[in-house]
Amino acid sequence: MKTNFLNRNFGIELESGNEQSQSHSENIVKSKSFIEVKTTNKWAQSINNNFWHIKYDSSCGVKGKPIDHGWEIASFKAFGEFNLIHICDIAKELQNNDCRVNENCGLHIHADVSDFSPYEMGSLLNRWLKIEKYLLNTVPMSRRNNFHCKPLFNKLCIKNVKESNPENTWRLLKPTTFKVHNNNQKRFTLNLINYAKFIKFNKKGSRATIELRLPEGTLEWGNIYNWTYFYLNFISFSLKNPCLSNSNFVTNIDSFFKTFGINNSKNLDIKCWFEKRIKDFKY
C-alpha cells in the first residue's frame, strides 16, 4: 500500500499516569530508541524537537488535576512510516514495562500544515465537521464532550457553514488567543492555535501544525499507528479534494469512510479497525 501521506512532519504525545516514575519511562525510551531523550520536571512546550521529551503533566493522573499528575512522553519531530513504526514500538515497550494510561490521558497528534492556505484549512474543517459526530462513535464515553477535546461543531451552528464556504468556516473557527497556558481555545477535537498563529504572524516563529486531541490515552501499538494513519491521510485527502457538495453530517459508515478518503479495498486494515471501535464504543 502506498502511504505517501505519511511523508508529512508529525509529532505524537503519549500520556501515562504516575504509577511509574519519570525516570522509569526515561530509562525505557533510552534503552530502546536511537533518538536522544530529555526530561523536564515541569510541563514545557516541545517545539520542532529532535529528541524525546518526557515531562510532568498535571492533567493525566489517575485522580485528576489538581490531586494527581502524570507524564507526557512527546516524540521527536517525525516523518514517514519508519518513524511512526518506531514511535509505536516505543509505546509498546512502555506498556510492556508497566506504564499505564487512565481516563484522564489522551493521545495527541500534531501534523504540519504549512502547505495549507486559510481557504484550504477552511475546506479541511468543513470535511471535519461532516465526520466529527460520527467519529465520536469510535472513542470511549470519557472522550465525548470531554473538557480537553470538545467537539468543534459545538463551537458554531452548522447552518453557518451549510454552503460549505471555506473562508467563512475558517473565520468562524479560527482561534484568536494564542497563550500557552489555560487557553480554552485549544481544547477541541482539533486544536488550531499553532496554525492560526502561523498565519497571523506571517509564518515567522510559529509551528504550522494542527493537533488531533480526540483519541483516548493509549500505548497500544495498533491504536497509535491507526490514529496517525487516519489523521495524516485525512489531512492530505482534504488538501487534494478541497470541494464538498455539502457539510451535512455523515450518518453511516460508508459515507464516513468516503469523506476522509479510505473508501477502497486498499484500506481494509484501518476500515476493520474503525468498524471494531464503532462496535465497541457506539452508544
Side-chain angles (χ1 to χ4, degrees):
M1 184 193 308
K2 291 184 178 180
T3 53
N4 292 338
F5 58 86
L6 293 176
N7 294 333
R8 176 179 292 274
N9 290 328
F10 64 92
I12 299 176
E13 297 170 5
L14 309 172
E15 293 180 348
S16 69
N18 67 352
E19 293 87 350
Q20 301 295 334
S21 66
Q22 184 184 43
S23 60
H24 179 80
S25 297
E26 178 186 9
N27 290 335
I28 292 168
V29 179
K30 279 184 174 179
S31 68
K32 298 296 181 179
S33 181
F34 53 85
I35 301 292
E36 182 184 5
V37 181
K38 296 184 180 181
T39 63
T40 50
N41 293 325
K42 59 182 180 180
W43 188 88
Q45 282 189 297
S46 304
I47 301 176
N48 293 322
N49 49 300
N50 59 359
F51 53 86
W52 290 93
H53 187 186
I54 303 176
K55 49 193 167 180
Y56 176 96
D57 192 314
S58 63
S59 66
C60 58
V62 175
K63 297 178 182 178
K65 187 177 181 179
I67 300 170
D68 206 355
H69 75 276
W71 309 110
E72 179 184 316
I73 303 155
S75 81
F76 51 96
K77 182 178 178 180
F79 176 87
E81 189 170 26
F82 176 82
N83 281 173
L84 174 56
I85 288 172
H86 181 61
I87 292 168
C88 294
D89 287 344
I90 294 300
K92 183 178 179 180
E93 288 293 333
L94 291 165
Q95 182 182 48
N96 289 345
N97 285 276
D98 300 321
C99 294
R100 297 289 177 260
V101 299
N102 58 69
E103 288 191 350
N104 294 319
C105 296
L107 173 69
H108 300 161
I109 305 168
H110 291 262
D112 177 78
V113 286
S114 57
D115 49 344
F116 276 69
S117 68
Y119 178 93
E120 290 163 334
M121 183 54 61
S123 178
L124 177 148
L125 292 171
N126 279 339
R127 192 173 296 276
W128 182 261
L129 290 168
K130 280 183 69 73
I131 69 170
E132 187 179 51
K133 277 192 172 182
Y134 199 85
L135 192 61
L136 295 179
N137 293 318
T138 71
V139 296
M141 191 63 69
S142 61
R143 301 305 290 177
R144 298 171 192 173
N145 212 24
N146 184 297
F147 173 72
H148 295 285
C149 57
K150 300 182 292 292
L152 269 181
F153 63 72
N154 284 0
K155 196 174 181 180
L156 57 96
C157 180
I158 194 64
K159 69 182 181 182
N160 289 329
V161 291
K162 66 180 180 180
E163 301 301 327
S164 299
N165 184 312
E167 291 100 336
N168 189 46
T169 305
W170 175 244
R171 179 181 61 82
L172 291 167
L173 291 179
K174 68 179 181 181
T176 55
T177 300
F178 306 122
K179 62 182 182 179
V180 175
H181 298 289
N182 299 316
N183 189 345
N184 287 333
Q185 293 192 24
K186 81 173 185 179
R187 295 182 172 124
F188 288 91
T189 54
L190 287 184
N191 170 14
L192 308 171
I193 287 176
N194 285 339
Y195 176 77
K197 187 177 179 182
F198 171 80
I199 294 297
K200 182 177 177 64
F201 297 107
N202 298 315
K203 307 182 180 182
K204 294 179 180 179
S206 301
R207 289 177 295 169
T209 62
I210 57 175
E211 177 191 20
L212 176 66
R213 296 177 59 87
L214 176 63
E216 76 280 10
T218 182
L219 297 174
E220 294 279 351
W221 199 103
N223 286 342
I224 296 166
Y225 184 94
N226 284 322
W227 275 120
T228 308
Y229 181 108
F230 153 73
Y231 188 44
L232 297 183
N233 180 79
F234 171 81
I235 290 171
S236 292
F237 186 77
S238 297
L239 185 61
K240 293 175 182 177
N241 300 274
C243 296
L244 284 172
S245 58
N246 64 75
S247 58
N248 297 329
F249 300 141
V250 301
T251 57
N252 60 70
I253 197 165
D254 289 334
S255 59
F256 172 66
F257 288 146
K258 184 177 181 179
T259 301
F260 68 88
I262 65 164
N263 194 34
N264 61 62
S265 60
K266 295 180 180 180
N267 304 112
L268 287 179
D269 288 347
I270 195 167
K271 289 177 73 173
C272 290
W273 177 76
F274 267 119
E275 287 167 350
K276 182 179 186 306
R277 289 183 68 89
I278 290 170
K279 182 178 179 181
D280 290 343
F281 297 126
K282 188 174 182 180
Y283 58 97

